[in-house]
């Protein structure tokens, strides 16, 4: 994949069409990192000009605990600008995402999008035919854990999260627990055949400690799999430049991560692979999946994936940004709102071929461990 040098910002969000790219090329780990522009920059741009409606329809807009019981303290959520966040009684960490109904719909759309990305698969690790115990850390609304339990009805599947937002009607082999994976894990050593993690960006303080806990709890011969993005939005044809709101997502996101003590650039330094190796995992396999932000591709599968990713992204941009952009980076509500308008407008432009890289890494705990 070719990289393009950063260009100077233009006074308005650019609209000059770039050559259309019918399908995304092979995924690459090369990233062009720009310095983050301030919120004041977007306030100076003002609101973008309104486009006529393009007519394009987007798709879809008893919990148990191993570390804490479901009580009024857990259900007493924090509120920021009318949105609810996890209870401070569960963890002393700061999680950037809301946990209300609107935010949960984002998680559900994301699960479906990742299933499309993996051609219907829930994982890539070469698991045994009959795993006995599986753990889904950061399970969110629990859809992955539920689908995995349906696929392996004889496997006990545990999903953990810091908010009790999972459904109560689930397969009999699923249970959900309140747990903070940034603390020492409460599970027995050498227990799980499979430990799964996905989209934990900006939530893990120490990735090396995280993978060491996973290694300890993984059964010898068992697997750990983690899939995540670094937030950097790229384009192969240079259609997304530094002046675009799309290109600024990664730099601002990663700058905010550093302020809260979370390393968000998991790709450029091969952090996932290196931390797994240091924990003791072997036979490490890494795969990069190119995930478009909108349906700009001519390839049917990639186009469908872009539809769902755009639906997920635009479902709750305000909720996604108000903590990291506002509370952490100090942007005003007006600056965030203007940035969102530019971002949404660019997502509707079929000539901007932006995409994320989602990296999937799996590895095995040695049989003689």
């Amino acid at each position: 994949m070719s990289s393009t040098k950063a260009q100077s910002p233009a006074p308005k969000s650019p609209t000059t069409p770039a050559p259309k790219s019918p399908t995304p090329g092979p995924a690459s780990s090369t990233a062009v990192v720009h310095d983050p522009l301030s919120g004041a920059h977007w306030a100076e741009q003002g609101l973008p000009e309104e486009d006529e409606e393009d007519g394009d329809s987007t798709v879809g807009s008893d919990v148990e605990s191993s570390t804490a019981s479901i009580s009024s303290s857990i259900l007493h959520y924090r509120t920021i600008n009318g949105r609810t966040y996890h209870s401070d009684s569960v963890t002393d960490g700061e999680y950037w995402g809301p946990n209300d109904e609107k935010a949960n719909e984002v998680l559900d759309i994301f699960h479906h999008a990742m299933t499309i990305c993996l051609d219907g698969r829930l994982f890539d690790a070469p698991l045994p035919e009959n795993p006995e115990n599986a753990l889904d850390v950061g399970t969110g609304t629990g859809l992955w854990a539920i689908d995995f339990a349906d696929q392996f009805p004889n496997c006990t599947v545990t999903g953990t999260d810091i908010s009790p937002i999972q459904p109560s009607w689930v397969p009999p082999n699923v249970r959900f627990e309140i747990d903070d994976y940034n603390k020492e894990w409460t599970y027995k050593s050498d227990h799980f055949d499979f430990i799964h993690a996905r989209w934990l960006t900006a939530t893990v303080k120490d990735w090396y400690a995280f993978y060491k806990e996973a290694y300890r709890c993984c059964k010898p011969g068992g697997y750990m799999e983690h899939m995540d993005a670094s937030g950097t939005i790229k384009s192969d044809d240079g259609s997304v430049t530094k002046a675009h709101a799309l290109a600024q997502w990664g730099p601002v996101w990663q700058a905010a991560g550093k302020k809260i003590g979370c390393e968000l650039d998991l790709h450029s330094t091969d952090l996932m692979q290196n931390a797994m190796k240091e924990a003791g995992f072997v036979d490490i396999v890494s795969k990069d999946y190119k995930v478009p932000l909108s349906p700009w591709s001519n390839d049917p599968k990639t186009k469908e994936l872009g539809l769902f990713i755009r639906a997920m992204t635009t479902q709750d941009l305000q909720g996604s940004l108000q903590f990291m952009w506002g509370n952490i980076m100090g942007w005003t509500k007006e600056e965030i709102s203007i940035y969102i308008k530019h971002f949404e407008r660019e997502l509707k432009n079929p000539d901007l071929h932006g995409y994320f890289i989602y990296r999937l890494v799996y590895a095995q705990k040695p049989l003689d461990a």
Side-chain angles (χ1 to χ4, degrees):
M1 183 185 74
S2 61
S3 300
T4 57
K5 294 183 179 180
Q7 301 178 9
S8 301
K12 291 281 186 181
S13 188
T15 58
T16 302
K20 289 191 175 183
S21 176
T23 59
S28 169
S29 59
T30 304
V32 179
V33 179
H34 303 300
D35 293 329
L37 298 174
S38 67
H41 164 83
W42 296 103
E44 291 172 358
Q45 308 311 301
L47 292 172
E49 295 178 3
E50 292 293 334
D51 290 330
E52 293 184 5
E53 183 60 42
D54 57 9
D56 183 33
S57 61
T58 56
V59 181
S61 278
D62 296 328
V63 179
E64 294 180 330
S65 170
S66 61
T67 57
S69 62
I70 299 300
S71 65
S72 60
S73 61
I74 291 178
L75 298 174
H76 185 65
Y77 299 133
R78 295 181 300 136
T79 301
I80 302 176
N81 295 332
R83 305 299 300 277
T84 61
Y85 291 73
H86 72 272
S87 169
D88 288 332
S89 66
V90 178
T91 174
D92 52 10
E94 294 180 302
Y95 178 59
W96 58 271
N99 63 0
D100 50 26
E101 183 176 354
K102 189 172 185 179
N104 294 343
E105 289 175 355
V106 173
L107 300 179
D108 290 347
I109 299 171
F110 174 75
H111 171 67
H112 184 69
M114 290 298 99
T115 304
I116 295 173
C117 180
L118 297 183
D119 295 317
R121 303 186 305 277
L122 294 174
F123 56 90
D124 274 354
L127 301 185
E129 291 185 5
N130 296 300
E132 296 178 345
N133 296 287
L135 175 66
D136 185 31
V137 292
T139 194
T141 54
L143 290 189
W144 184 93
I146 292 169
D147 286 350
F148 188 87
D150 281 335
Q151 184 173 339
F152 298 98
N154 295 321
C155 179
T156 298
V157 183
T158 303
T160 68
D161 207 277
I162 56 175
S163 289
I165 56 176
Q166 303 78 32
S168 56
W169 290 91
V170 297
N173 55 324
V174 175
R175 66 182 186 185
F176 295 115
E177 301 179 349
I178 304 301
D179 207 356
D180 181 3
Y181 46 68
N182 282 300
K183 299 179 180 179
E184 183 178 355
W185 293 17
T186 60
Y187 302 104
K188 295 184 297 183
S189 299
D190 305 328
H191 180 64
F192 293 105
D193 298 275
F194 187 39
I195 297 177
H196 175 262
R198 188 175 68 188
W199 200 13
L200 303 187
T201 181
T203 68
V204 176
K205 298 291 186 181
D206 186 340
W207 285 106
Y208 285 85
F210 174 85
Y211 287 125
K212 286 178 181 177
E213 285 296 285
Y215 181 87
R216 178 182 64 80
C217 297
C218 192
K219 183 185 299 183
Y223 285 87
M224 163 77 184
E225 180 171 302
H226 177 199
M227 188 174 188
D228 231 316
S230 64
T232 301
I233 295 175
K234 302 187 288 184
S235 63
D236 291 341
D237 55 7
S239 56
V240 177
T241 71
K242 179 181 178 180
H244 287 98
L246 292 175
Q248 282 297 305
W249 181 283
V252 179
W253 179 250
Q254 292 174 13
K258 293 184 184 300
K259 284 180 175 287
I260 63 173
C262 290
E263 178 54 63
L264 306 190
D265 183 6
L266 307 181
H267 296 177
S268 66
T269 60
D270 291 336
L271 189 153
M272 300 162 74
Q273 301 96 307
N274 293 334
M276 281 191 187
K277 181 178 180 180
E278 182 170 307
F281 287 104
V282 297
D283 299 330
I284 300 170
V285 175
S286 174
K287 303 178 181 181
D288 283 352
Y289 291 92
K290 189 172 291 187
V291 178
L293 275 79
S294 61
W296 50 260
S297 173
N298 292 332
D299 174 68
K301 171 198 164 182
T302 309
K303 190 177 192 69
E304 182 185 17
L305 178 58
L307 276 169
F308 277 94
I309 291 296
R310 188 172 70 180
M312 178 200 80
T313 305
T314 57
Q315 165 71 13
D316 190 22
L317 274 171
Q318 195 72 41
S320 298
L321 301 187
Q322 71 172 8
F323 184 81
M324 294 289 267
W325 265 240
N327 290 34
I328 304 303
M329 297 301 290
W331 288 31
T332 66
K333 290 182 182 180
E334 180 187 15
E335 290 167 349
I336 294 174
S337 295
I338 293 174
Y339 172 81
I340 287 175
K341 289 295 185 182
H342 283 272
F343 193 91
E344 290 176 332
R345 184 171 185 265
E346 291 170 8
L347 286 181
K348 294 179 180 179
N349 186 346
D351 295 320
L352 297 180
H353 306 139
Y355 63 86
F356 284 122
I357 290 292
Y358 271 86
R359 176 165 295 176
L360 185 151
V361 182
Y362 67 79
Q364 186 177 33
K365 184 171 181 176
L367 285 167
D368 58 355

